[in-house]
Short mmCIF file of all heavy atoms in Angstrom, two decimals:
data_model
loop_
_atom_site.label_atom_id
_atom_site.label_comp_id
_atom_site.label_asym_id
_atom_site.label_seq_id
_atom_site.Cartn_x
_atom_site.Cartn_y
_atom_site.Cartn_z
N SER T 305 230.33 170.97 -144.58
CA SER T 305 231.60 171.70 -144.61
C SER T 305 232.15 171.82 -146.03
O SER T 305 232.62 172.90 -146.44
CB SER T 305 232.62 171.00 -143.69
OG SER T 305 232.80 169.65 -144.09
N TYR T 306 232.08 170.76 -146.83
CA TYR T 306 232.60 170.83 -148.20
C TYR T 306 231.72 171.70 -149.09
O TYR T 306 232.21 172.41 -149.96
CB TYR T 306 232.73 169.42 -148.79
CG TYR T 306 234.05 168.76 -148.46
CD1 TYR T 306 234.10 167.59 -147.71
CD2 TYR T 306 235.24 169.31 -148.92
CE1 TYR T 306 235.30 166.99 -147.41
CE2 TYR T 306 236.46 168.70 -148.63
CZ TYR T 306 236.49 167.55 -147.87
OH TYR T 306 237.70 166.96 -147.58
N LEU T 307 230.40 171.63 -148.89
CA LEU T 307 229.53 172.50 -149.68
C LEU T 307 229.78 173.98 -149.37
O LEU T 307 229.69 174.84 -150.25
CB LEU T 307 228.07 172.15 -149.41
CG LEU T 307 227.56 170.83 -149.98
CD1 LEU T 307 226.14 170.55 -149.52
CD2 LEU T 307 227.63 170.84 -151.51
N THR T 308 230.10 174.28 -148.13
CA THR T 308 230.30 175.69 -147.74
C THR T 308 231.55 176.28 -148.35
O THR T 308 231.54 177.43 -148.82
CB THR T 308 230.35 175.79 -146.21
OG1 THR T 308 229.14 175.23 -145.65
CG2 THR T 308 230.46 177.24 -145.76
N VAL T 309 232.65 175.53 -148.36
CA VAL T 309 233.93 176.10 -148.80
C VAL T 309 234.21 175.88 -150.28
O VAL T 309 235.14 176.48 -150.83
CB VAL T 309 235.09 175.52 -147.98
CG1 VAL T 309 234.90 175.81 -146.50
CG2 VAL T 309 235.25 174.01 -148.21
N ASP T 310 233.43 175.04 -150.98
CA ASP T 310 233.77 174.73 -152.36
C ASP T 310 232.59 174.90 -153.32
O ASP T 310 232.59 175.78 -154.17
CB ASP T 310 234.31 173.30 -152.44
CG ASP T 310 234.89 172.98 -153.82
OD1 ASP T 310 235.02 173.91 -154.64
OD2 ASP T 310 235.19 171.81 -154.09
N ASN T 311 231.58 174.11 -153.18
CA ASN T 311 230.52 174.06 -154.18
C ASN T 311 229.71 175.35 -154.28
O ASN T 311 229.35 175.78 -155.37
CB ASN T 311 229.58 172.88 -153.89
CG ASN T 311 230.31 171.54 -153.99
OD1 ASN T 311 231.10 171.20 -153.12
ND2 ASN T 311 230.05 170.78 -155.04
N ILE T 312 229.43 175.96 -153.15
CA ILE T 312 228.65 177.20 -153.18
C ILE T 312 229.50 178.39 -152.75
O ILE T 312 228.98 179.41 -152.30
CB ILE T 312 227.42 177.07 -152.26
CG1 ILE T 312 227.84 176.81 -150.81
CG2 ILE T 312 226.47 176.00 -152.74
CD1 ILE T 312 226.67 176.80 -149.84
N TYR T 313 230.82 178.27 -152.94
CA TYR T 313 231.71 179.35 -152.50
C TYR T 313 231.65 180.54 -153.45
O TYR T 313 231.45 181.68 -153.02
CB TYR T 313 233.14 178.82 -152.39
CG TYR T 313 234.17 179.92 -152.24
CD1 TYR T 313 234.29 180.61 -151.04
CD2 TYR T 313 235.00 180.26 -153.30
CE1 TYR T 313 235.20 181.64 -150.91
CE2 TYR T 313 235.92 181.28 -153.17
CZ TYR T 313 236.02 181.96 -151.98
OH TYR T 313 236.93 182.98 -151.84
N ASP T 314 231.86 180.29 -154.72
CA ASP T 314 232.03 181.39 -155.68
C ASP T 314 230.82 181.52 -156.59
O ASP T 314 230.94 181.65 -157.81
CB ASP T 314 233.30 181.14 -156.51
CG ASP T 314 233.79 182.43 -157.19
OD1 ASP T 314 233.30 183.51 -156.79
OD2 ASP T 314 234.62 182.34 -158.10
N LEU T 315 229.64 181.51 -155.99
CA LEU T 315 228.43 181.68 -156.78
C LEU T 315 228.14 183.16 -157.01
O LEU T 315 228.29 183.98 -156.09
CB LEU T 315 227.24 181.03 -156.05
CG LEU T 315 227.25 179.51 -155.92
CD1 LEU T 315 226.01 179.04 -155.17
CD2 LEU T 315 227.32 178.84 -157.28
N ASN T 316 227.75 183.49 -158.21
CA ASN T 316 227.39 184.86 -158.53
C ASN T 316 225.89 185.03 -158.29
O ASN T 316 225.06 184.78 -159.15
CB ASN T 316 227.75 185.16 -160.00
CG ASN T 316 227.54 186.62 -160.34
OD1 ASN T 316 227.36 187.46 -159.45
ND2 ASN T 316 227.57 186.93 -161.62
N MET T 317 225.55 185.44 -157.08
CA MET T 317 224.15 185.53 -156.69
C MET T 317 223.53 186.79 -157.26
O MET T 317 224.03 187.90 -157.06
CB MET T 317 224.03 185.54 -155.16
CG MET T 317 224.60 184.31 -154.49
SD MET T 317 223.78 182.79 -155.04
CE MET T 317 222.13 183.11 -154.50
N PRO T 318 222.43 186.69 -157.99
CA PRO T 318 221.76 187.89 -158.54
C PRO T 318 221.00 188.65 -157.46
O PRO T 318 220.48 188.06 -156.51
CB PRO T 318 220.81 187.30 -159.58
CG PRO T 318 220.50 185.94 -159.07
CD PRO T 318 221.75 185.44 -158.37
N LEU T 319 220.96 189.97 -157.59
CA LEU T 319 220.21 190.81 -156.68
C LEU T 319 218.82 191.03 -157.26
O LEU T 319 218.64 191.73 -158.25
CB LEU T 319 220.92 192.15 -156.47
CG LEU T 319 222.31 192.07 -155.83
CD1 LEU T 319 222.93 193.47 -155.73
CD2 LEU T 319 222.22 191.43 -154.46
N LEU T 320 217.84 190.40 -156.67
CA LEU T 320 216.48 190.43 -157.17
C LEU T 320 215.56 191.13 -156.16
O LEU T 320 215.76 191.03 -154.95
CB LEU T 320 215.96 189.00 -157.40
CG LEU T 320 216.80 188.14 -158.36
CD1 LEU T 320 216.25 186.73 -158.42
CD2 LEU T 320 216.82 188.77 -159.75
#
Side-chain angles (χ1 to χ4, degrees):
S305 57
Y306 273 118
L307 288 174
T308 303
V309 301
D310 189 9
N311 297 73
I312 60 175
Y313 167 73
D314 199 14
L315 293 179
N316 187 13
M317 300 300 298
L319 297 178
L320 303 175

